[in-house]
Amino acid sequence: EAGVTQSPTHLIKTRGQQATLRCSPISGHTSVYWYQQALGLGLQFLLWYDEGEERNRGNFPPRFSGRQFPNYSSELNVNALELEDSALYLCASSPSWTQYFGPGTRLLVL
Amino acid sequence: QQQVKQSPQSLIVQKGGISIINCAYENTAFDYFPWYQQFPGKGPALLIAIRPDVSEKKEGRFTISFNKSAKQFSLHIMDSQPGDSATYFCAANHHNAGNMLTFGGGTRLMVKP
């Protein structure tokens, strides 16, 4: 069974630009979660999508947004990039209780 | 507000020894407590998980001990191996309130040969 996949693996942007990160969940999983893992800040919850709807969001500004498509894949958009947005962005999918993580997208903002 | 506190931040253990990582939580509504293992450049991988109606769960060399009254849980790695060297995260969530994970700060484990 294929795991959670994310693309791209690395992304380099400059301040003010927009970044788009993609996630494909494990087949059969309808929930997708996004987390930010920044140096020194640990893993922080960003967004939760289920059945195409945004169900919850963490303590992040509105320039972090996303969506979930009918095939349950998801996209995370970060607008007006700031230097502190540099981090590993992790996507997880879940059938119920357990969350399974992808390898992440490492975003570097210069 | 950090709702899950993890200690120690780093741990060095000799091969064959026992690695012990502790976590404490504040929110009594948490009802699921997973542990994740993360190698450099990789995403976290689920190691073992427990629900609060169980005091201990063992899977191979990995054991979770759970103390509901103290709001604490710990991971024990028996017969630690150099391949266990990684960062370990405890986490907690409230299944009926969003199911998003609240993570501890992580423990960097090094197992010396």
Side-chain angles (χ1 to χ4, degrees):
Chain A
E1 180 184 89
V4 176
T5 60
Q6 292 186 245
S7 63
T9 54
H10 293 81
L11 192 55
I12 300 175
K13 295 285 186 178
T14 56
R15 279 174 54 190
Q17 285 188 313
Q18 179 197 36
T20 298
L21 290 63
R22 296 178 177 85
C23 170
S24 291
I26 293 171
S27 177
H29 293 187
T30 62
S31 278
V32 170
Y33 300 80
W34 287 95
Y35 293 85
Q36 182 196 65
Q37 186 173 27
L39 268 176
L41 293 178
L43 281 143
Q44 295 185 287
F45 166 72
L46 257 170
L47 290 159
W48 171 32
Y49 292 94
D50 183 59
E51 297 286 357
E53 299 284 331
E54 181 180 305
R55 302 294 184 182
N56 210 335
R57 67 181 293 127
N59 189 25
F60 283 84
R63 56 191 187 81
F64 287 85
S65 65
R67 53 181 171 165
Q68 186 177 35
F69 300 98
N71 66 353
Y72 303 114
S73 66
S74 178
E75 196 174 86
L76 174 68
N77 295 293
V78 188
N79 294 319
L81 284 164
E82 299 179 2
L83 296 178
E84 51 264 36
D85 295 334
S86 295
L88 181 66
Y89 289 85
L90 293 159
C91 170
S93 74
S94 174
S96 180
W97 291 75
T98 302
Q99 294 184 28
Y100 300 91
F101 284 83
T105 291
R106 187 161 296 280
L107 173 64
L108 178 61
V109 182
L110 301 174
Chain B
Q1 180 187 11
Q2 185 185 6
Q3 294 191 1
V4 180
K5 293 184 179 180
Q6 184 171 344
S7 63
Q9 286 186 310
S10 62
L11 181 61
I12 300 174
V13 172
Q14 290 294 130
K15 178 183 175 182
I18 303 174
S19 303
I20 302 173
I21 305 170
N22 301 299
C23 284
Y25 62 97
E26 299 169 9
N27 188 348
T28 55
F30 286 146
D31 56 6
Y32 180 70
F33 302 86
W35 284 87
Y36 286 87
Q37 178 190 57
Q38 186 177 30
F39 292 103
K42 306 288 186 184
L46 179 70
L47 206 53
I48 187 172
I50 198 167
R51 296 186 192 178
D53 53 345
V54 176
S55 61
E56 186 175 280
K57 183 175 181 181
K58 184 176 180 179
E59 288 184 4
R61 297 184 294 110
F62 302 93
T63 300
I64 300 179
S65 297
F66 188 85
N67 186 329
K68 189 174 181 179
S69 61
K71 293 186 288 184
Q72 294 175 348
F73 59 111
S74 60
L75 175 70
H76 290 61
I77 306 174
M78 312 300 287
D79 187 26
S80 298
Q81 299 297 311
D84 297 331
S85 297
T87 300
Y88 292 80
F89 292 94
C90 63
N93 70 359
H94 182 196
H95 186 61
N96 292 325
N99 207 32
M100 56 278 193
L101 291 166
T102 300
F103 284 88
T107 297
R108 184 171 290 184
L109 171 66
M110 180 186 296
V111 181
K112 288 192 167 182

